[in-house]
Amino acid sequence: MNACVSCARRSICNEAMAFRSSSLVALIFLVALAVSAGTCSAARPEPYGGKNLNFIRSSCGATQYPSLCFSSLSAYASTIQRSPVQLAQAALSVSLTGARTTAATITKLLKGSGAGVGAREAEAMNDCLENMGNSVEELRDSLKEMGHLKGKDLRLRVNDMQTWVSSALTDENTCMEGLPTTASMKVGVRGTIRGEIVKAVQLTSNALSLINGLSGV
């Protein structure tokens, strides 16, 4: 009789321990699941209405090409956050990349065989290339100056950047205006170059607008 009671007690104890163990495992699983969900949530990209993106969208509204402004800068939202200085710096960097890309395209077409240009058109394209080279230097100088926007010289440095970026914009427009229009130049070649220059001009124009906004910072 006692042996049976003891056996029954052991069975109950074993079941209780098994229940506690399964409950502990379930609890650990739920905690791990919650942590995992939190990590995934943190890794998600900023939603369309995120504060950083809204700041970029609102700031780009003051530029001449707001759609291009937002599409070219939204990828840098986590870096820009809601800083007008970081926004202008990103715009300058994008503009510099555009100017370099345009110069590289013109160089490639000039060096390539069968570019479809005569001597006069090649000379005009070389002039255009020189203009784009000047633009690259001016944008690069502006980007360097951006790293020193502190202290009492801030307004002076902003004025310097405005001068350089304005000059870069003038150089790019001069390049576009001097593009050959004669029939001796292949339409596809001219279209390729013009497309690159137009985008470079628009990016630089946007950068200038955002830099102008730093005057009141």
Side-chain angles (χ1 to χ4, degrees), residues 14-38:
N14 289 338
E15 290 178 1
M17 291 177 66
F19 176 79
R20 290 175 183 174
S21 178
S22 61
S23 298
L24 181 60
V25 170
L27 180 60
I28 293 173
F29 174 78
L30 290 174
V31 170
L33 186 63
V35 171
S36 176

PDB file of all heavy atoms in Angstrom, residues 14-38:
ATOM      1  N   ASN A  14       6.693  14.129 -10.996  1.00  0.00           N
ATOM      2  CA  ASN A  14       7.305  14.139 -12.324  1.00  0.00           C
ATOM      3  C   ASN A  14       6.473  14.932 -13.328  1.00  0.00           C
ATOM      4  O   ASN A  14       6.995  15.668 -14.172  1.00  0.00           O
ATOM      5  CB  ASN A  14       7.479  12.708 -12.845  1.00  0.00           C
ATOM      6  CG  ASN A  14       8.572  11.977 -12.086  1.00  0.00           C
ATOM      7  OD1 ASN A  14       9.449  12.605 -11.491  1.00  0.00           O
ATOM      8  ND2 ASN A  14       8.511  10.657 -12.098  1.00  0.00           N
ATOM      9  N   GLU A  15       5.148  14.793 -13.242  1.00  0.00           N
ATOM     10  CA  GLU A  15       4.261  15.529 -14.140  1.00  0.00           C
ATOM     11  C   GLU A  15       4.352  17.034 -13.872  1.00  0.00           C
ATOM     12  O   GLU A  15       4.342  17.843 -14.803  1.00  0.00           O
ATOM     13  CB  GLU A  15       2.818  15.056 -13.957  1.00  0.00           C
ATOM     14  CG  GLU A  15       2.577  13.645 -14.489  1.00  0.00           C
ATOM     15  CD  GLU A  15       1.144  13.183 -14.262  1.00  0.00           C
ATOM     16  OE1 GLU A  15       0.346  13.983 -13.712  1.00  0.00           O
ATOM     17  OE2 GLU A  15       0.840  12.055 -14.635  1.00  0.00           O
ATOM     18  N   ALA A  16       4.438  17.392 -12.593  1.00  0.00           N
ATOM     19  CA  ALA A  16       4.540  18.812 -12.235  1.00  0.00           C
ATOM     20  C   ALA A  16       5.839  19.403 -12.761  1.00  0.00           C
ATOM     21  O   ALA A  16       5.873  20.519 -13.282  1.00  0.00           O
ATOM     22  CB  ALA A  16       4.465  18.974 -10.718  1.00  0.00           C
ATOM     23  N   MET A  17       6.929  18.659 -12.600  1.00  0.00           N
ATOM     24  CA  MET A  17       8.214  19.144 -13.088  1.00  0.00           C
ATOM     25  C   MET A  17       8.200  19.277 -14.608  1.00  0.00           C
ATOM     26  O   MET A  17       8.756  20.218 -15.169  1.00  0.00           O
ATOM     27  CB  MET A  17       9.329  18.189 -12.654  1.00  0.00           C
ATOM     28  CG  MET A  17       9.601  18.215 -11.149  1.00  0.00           C
ATOM     29  SD  MET A  17      10.871  17.023 -10.666  1.00  0.00           S
ATOM     30  CE  MET A  17      12.290  17.723 -11.492  1.00  0.00           C
ATOM     31  N   ALA A  18       7.565  18.303 -15.268  1.00  0.00           N
ATOM     32  CA  ALA A  18       7.488  18.364 -16.727  1.00  0.00           C
ATOM     33  C   ALA A  18       6.687  19.584 -17.172  1.00  0.00           C
ATOM     34  O   ALA A  18       7.014  20.262 -18.141  1.00  0.00           O
ATOM     35  CB  ALA A  18       6.854  17.077 -17.263  1.00  0.00           C
ATOM     36  N   PHE A  19       5.606  19.906 -16.424  1.00  0.00           N
ATOM     37  CA  PHE A  19       4.771  21.065 -16.758  1.00  0.00           C
ATOM     38  C   PHE A  19       5.553  22.355 -16.601  1.00  0.00           C
ATOM     39  O   PHE A  19       5.502  23.258 -17.442  1.00  0.00           O
ATOM     40  CB  PHE A  19       3.525  21.059 -15.852  1.00  0.00           C
ATOM     41  CG  PHE A  19       2.652  22.272 -16.055  1.00  0.00           C
ATOM     42  CD1 PHE A  19       1.790  22.353 -17.147  1.00  0.00           C
ATOM     43  CD2 PHE A  19       2.709  23.342 -15.168  1.00  0.00           C
ATOM     44  CE1 PHE A  19       1.001  23.457 -17.336  1.00  0.00           C
ATOM     45  CE2 PHE A  19       1.915  24.453 -15.357  1.00  0.00           C
ATOM     46  CZ  PHE A  19       1.055  24.514 -16.451  1.00  0.00           C
ATOM     47  N   ARG A  20       6.314  22.446 -15.469  1.00  0.00           N
ATOM     48  CA  ARG A  20       7.118  23.642 -15.229  1.00  0.00           C
ATOM     49  C   ARG A  20       8.181  23.820 -16.319  1.00  0.00           C
ATOM     50  O   ARG A  20       8.443  24.920 -16.788  1.00  0.00           O
ATOM     51  CB  ARG A  20       7.799  23.560 -13.867  1.00  0.00           C
ATOM     52  CG  ARG A  20       6.819  23.698 -12.701  1.00  0.00           C
ATOM     53  CD  ARG A  20       7.533  23.495 -11.382  1.00  0.00           C
ATOM     54  NE  ARG A  20       6.601  23.563 -10.258  1.00  0.00           N
ATOM     55  CZ  ARG A  20       6.942  23.298  -8.991  1.00  0.00           C
ATOM     56  NH1 ARG A  20       8.199  22.932  -8.723  1.00  0.00           N
ATOM     57  NH2 ARG A  20       6.049  23.397  -8.033  1.00  0.00           N
ATOM     58  N   SER A  21       8.782  22.698 -16.703  1.00  0.00           N
ATOM     59  CA  SER A  21       9.828  22.750 -17.731  1.00  0.00           C
ATOM     60  C   SER A  21       9.265  23.224 -19.063  1.00  0.00           C
ATOM     61  O   SER A  21       9.843  24.069 -19.737  1.00  0.00           O
ATOM     62  CB  SER A  21      10.467  21.362 -17.894  1.00  0.00           C
ATOM     63  OG  SER A  21      11.432  21.394 -18.913  1.00  0.00           O
ATOM     64  N   SER A  22       8.092  22.682 -19.439  1.00  0.00           N
ATOM     65  CA  SER A  22       7.488  23.094 -20.706  1.00  0.00           C
ATOM     66  C   SER A  22       7.055  24.555 -20.656  1.00  0.00           C
ATOM     67  O   SER A  22       7.153  25.286 -21.641  1.00  0.00           O
ATOM     68  CB  SER A  22       6.292  22.198 -21.039  1.00  0.00           C
ATOM     69  OG  SER A  22       5.304  22.312 -20.031  1.00  0.00           O
ATOM     70  N   SER A  23       6.594  24.999 -19.491  1.00  0.00           N
ATOM     71  CA  SER A  23       6.190  26.397 -19.340  1.00  0.00           C
ATOM     72  C   SER A  23       7.388  27.323 -19.479  1.00  0.00           C
ATOM     73  O   SER A  23       7.313  28.393 -20.078  1.00  0.00           O
ATOM     74  CB  SER A  23       5.519  26.611 -17.971  1.00  0.00           C
ATOM     75  OG  SER A  23       4.346  25.833 -17.868  1.00  0.00           O
ATOM     76  N   LEU A  24       8.534  26.912 -18.905  1.00  0.00           N
ATOM     77  CA  LEU A  24       9.756  27.698 -18.990  1.00  0.00           C
ATOM     78  C   LEU A  24      10.228  27.812 -20.428  1.00  0.00           C
ATOM     79  O   LEU A  24      10.623  28.877 -20.893  1.00  0.00           O
ATOM     80  CB  LEU A  24      10.844  27.061 -18.114  1.00  0.00           C
ATOM     81  CG  LEU A  24      12.193  27.809 -18.085  1.00  0.00           C
ATOM     82  CD1 LEU A  24      12.004  29.222 -17.551  1.00  0.00           C
ATOM     83  CD2 LEU A  24      13.196  27.042 -17.226  1.00  0.00           C
ATOM     84  N   VAL A  25      10.170  26.683 -21.136  1.00  0.00           N
ATOM     85  CA  VAL A  25      10.565  26.686 -22.544  1.00  0.00           C
ATOM     86  C   VAL A  25       9.669  27.620 -23.349  1.00  0.00           C
ATOM     87  O   VAL A  25      10.130  28.398 -24.198  1.00  0.00           O
ATOM     88  CB  VAL A  25      10.510  25.255 -23.128  1.00  0.00           C
ATOM     89  CG1 VAL A  25      10.692  25.306 -24.653  1.00  0.00           C
ATOM     90  CG2 VAL A  25      11.578  24.393 -22.497  1.00  0.00           C
ATOM     91  N   ALA A  26       8.374  27.567 -23.067  1.00  0.00           N
ATOM     92  CA  ALA A  26       7.428  28.432 -23.774  1.00  0.00           C
ATOM     93  C   ALA A  26       7.712  29.900 -23.488  1.00  0.00           C
ATOM     94  O   ALA A  26       7.646  30.752 -24.372  1.00  0.00           O
ATOM     95  CB  ALA A  26       5.995  28.077 -23.365  1.00  0.00           C
ATOM     96  N   LEU A  27       8.034  30.194 -22.221  1.00  0.00           N
ATOM     97  CA  LEU A  27       8.333  31.570 -21.833  1.00  0.00           C
ATOM     98  C   LEU A  27       9.575  32.080 -22.552  1.00  0.00           C
ATOM     99  O   LEU A  27       9.613  33.201 -23.056  1.00  0.00           O
ATOM    100  CB  LEU A  27       8.520  31.657 -20.319  1.00  0.00           C
ATOM    101  CG  LEU A  27       8.848  33.056 -19.762  1.00  0.00           C
ATOM    102  CD1 LEU A  27       7.718  34.023 -20.091  1.00  0.00           C
ATOM    103  CD2 LEU A  27       9.073  32.979 -18.258  1.00  0.00           C
ATOM    104  N   ILE A  28      10.620  31.239 -22.584  1.00  0.00           N
ATOM    105  CA  ILE A  28      11.861  31.611 -23.277  1.00  0.00           C
ATOM    106  C   ILE A  28      11.590  31.871 -24.761  1.00  0.00           C
ATOM    107  O   ILE A  28      12.101  32.814 -25.358  1.00  0.00           O
ATOM    108  CB  ILE A  28      12.928  30.511 -23.104  1.00  0.00           C
ATOM    109  CG1 ILE A  28      13.366  30.444 -21.632  1.00  0.00           C
ATOM    110  CG2 ILE A  28      14.131  30.777 -23.999  1.00  0.00           C
ATOM    111  CD1 ILE A  28      14.293  29.281 -21.328  1.00  0.00           C
ATOM    112  N   PHE A  29      10.759  31.023 -25.345  1.00  0.00           N
ATOM    113  CA  PHE A  29      10.421  31.175 -26.761  1.00  0.00           C
ATOM    114  C   PHE A  29       9.712  32.495 -27.027  1.00  0.00           C
ATOM    115  O   PHE A  29      10.004  33.207 -27.989  1.00  0.00           O
ATOM    116  CB  PHE A  29       9.532  30.002 -27.201  1.00  0.00           C
ATOM    117  CG  PHE A  29       9.008  30.143 -28.604  1.00  0.00           C
ATOM    118  CD1 PHE A  29       9.819  29.865 -29.696  1.00  0.00           C
ATOM    119  CD2 PHE A  29       7.701  30.571 -28.848  1.00  0.00           C
ATOM    120  CE1 PHE A  29       9.350  30.009 -30.982  1.00  0.00           C
ATOM    121  CE2 PHE A  29       7.228  30.702 -30.130  1.00  0.00           C
ATOM    122  CZ  PHE A  29       8.040  30.422 -31.202  1.00  0.00           C
ATOM    123  N   LEU A  30       8.771  32.861 -26.143  1.00  0.00           N
ATOM    124  CA  LEU A  30       8.033  34.110 -26.307  1.00  0.00           C
ATOM    125  C   LEU A  30       8.937  35.323 -26.174  1.00  0.00           C
ATOM    126  O   LEU A  30       8.805  36.309 -26.903  1.00  0.00           O
ATOM    127  CB  LEU A  30       6.895  34.185 -25.276  1.00  0.00           C
ATOM    128  CG  LEU A  30       5.728  33.214 -25.508  1.00  0.00           C
ATOM    129  CD1 LEU A  30       4.746  33.284 -24.335  1.00  0.00           C
ATOM    130  CD2 LEU A  30       5.014  33.535 -26.818  1.00  0.00           C
ATOM    131  N   VAL A  31       9.879  35.262 -25.199  1.00  0.00           N
ATOM    132  CA  VAL A  31      10.819  36.366 -25.021  1.00  0.00           C
ATOM    133  C   VAL A  31      11.696  36.534 -26.255  1.00  0.00           C
ATOM    134  O   VAL A  31      11.928  37.637 -26.744  1.00  0.00           O
ATOM    135  CB  VAL A  31      11.692  36.135 -23.768  1.00  0.00           C
ATOM    136  CG1 VAL A  31      12.825  37.158 -23.716  1.00  0.00           C
ATOM    137  CG2 VAL A  31      10.846  36.225 -22.505  1.00  0.00           C
ATOM    138  N   ALA A  32      12.209  35.403 -26.759  1.00  0.00           N
ATOM    139  CA  ALA A  32      13.058  35.438 -27.956  1.00  0.00           C
ATOM    140  C   ALA A  32      12.295  35.992 -29.154  1.00  0.00           C
ATOM    141  O   ALA A  32      12.828  36.759 -29.960  1.00  0.00           O
ATOM    142  CB  ALA A  32      13.590  34.033 -28.274  1.00  0.00           C
ATOM    143  N   LEU A  33      11.018  35.609 -29.256  1.00  0.00           N
ATOM    144  CA  LEU A  33      10.189  36.085 -30.356  1.00  0.00           C
ATOM    145  C   LEU A  33       9.984  37.590 -30.279  1.00  0.00           C
ATOM    146  O   LEU A  33      10.028  38.300 -31.286  1.00  0.00           O
ATOM    147  CB  LEU A  33       8.833  35.363 -30.327  1.00  0.00           C
ATOM    148  CG  LEU A  33       7.885  35.631 -31.511  1.00  0.00           C
ATOM    149  CD1 LEU A  33       8.524  35.131 -32.796  1.00  0.00           C
ATOM    150  CD2 LEU A  33       6.550  34.940 -31.273  1.00  0.00           C
ATOM    151  N   ALA A  34       9.779  38.096 -29.056  1.00  0.00           N
ATOM    152  CA  ALA A  34       9.582  39.534 -28.865  1.00  0.00           C
ATOM    153  C   ALA A  34      10.841  40.312 -29.230  1.00  0.00           C
ATOM    154  O   ALA A  34      10.782  41.367 -29.869  1.00  0.00           O
ATOM    155  CB  ALA A  34       9.196  39.812 -27.414  1.00  0.00           C
ATOM    156  N   VAL A  35      11.997  39.803 -28.812  1.00  0.00           N
ATOM    157  CA  VAL A  35      13.268  40.462 -29.138  1.00  0.00           C
ATOM    158  C   VAL A  35      13.493  40.484 -30.638  1.00  0.00           C
ATOM    159  O   VAL A  35      13.915  41.481 -31.221  1.00  0.00           O
ATOM    160  CB  VAL A  35      14.448  39.752 -28.430  1.00  0.00           C
ATOM    161  CG1 VAL A  35      15.773  40.302 -28.939  1.00  0.00           C
ATOM    162  CG2 VAL A  35      14.326  39.934 -26.924  1.00  0.00           C
ATOM    163  N   SER A  36      13.196  39.347 -31.279  1.00  0.00           N
ATOM    164  CA  SER A  36      13.370  39.247 -32.723  1.00  0.00           C
ATOM    165  C   SER A  36      12.473  40.229 -33.445  1.00  0.00           C
ATOM    166  O   SER A  36      12.874  40.894 -34.407  1.00  0.00           O
ATOM    167  CB  SER A  36      13.063  37.815 -33.187  1.00  0.00           C
ATOM    168  OG  SER A  36      13.128  37.724 -34.589  1.00  0.00           O
ATOM    169  N   ALA A  37      11.232  40.352 -32.985  1.00  0.00           N
ATOM    170  CA  ALA A  37      10.290  41.279 -33.605  1.00  0.00           C
ATOM    171  C   ALA A  37      10.767  42.709 -33.464  1.00  0.00           C
ATOM    172  O   ALA A  37      10.672  43.522 -34.380  1.00  0.00           O
ATOM    173  CB  ALA A  37       8.903  41.124 -32.981  1.00  0.00           C
ATOM    174  N   GLY A  38      11.325  43.028 -32.301  1.00  0.00           N
ATOM    175  CA  GLY A  38      11.842  44.379 -32.068  1.00  0.00           C
ATOM    176  C   GLY A  38      13.010  44.685 -32.969  1.00  0.00           C
ATOM    177  O   GLY A  38      13.142  45.788 -33.500  1.00  0.00           O
TER     178      GLY A  38
END
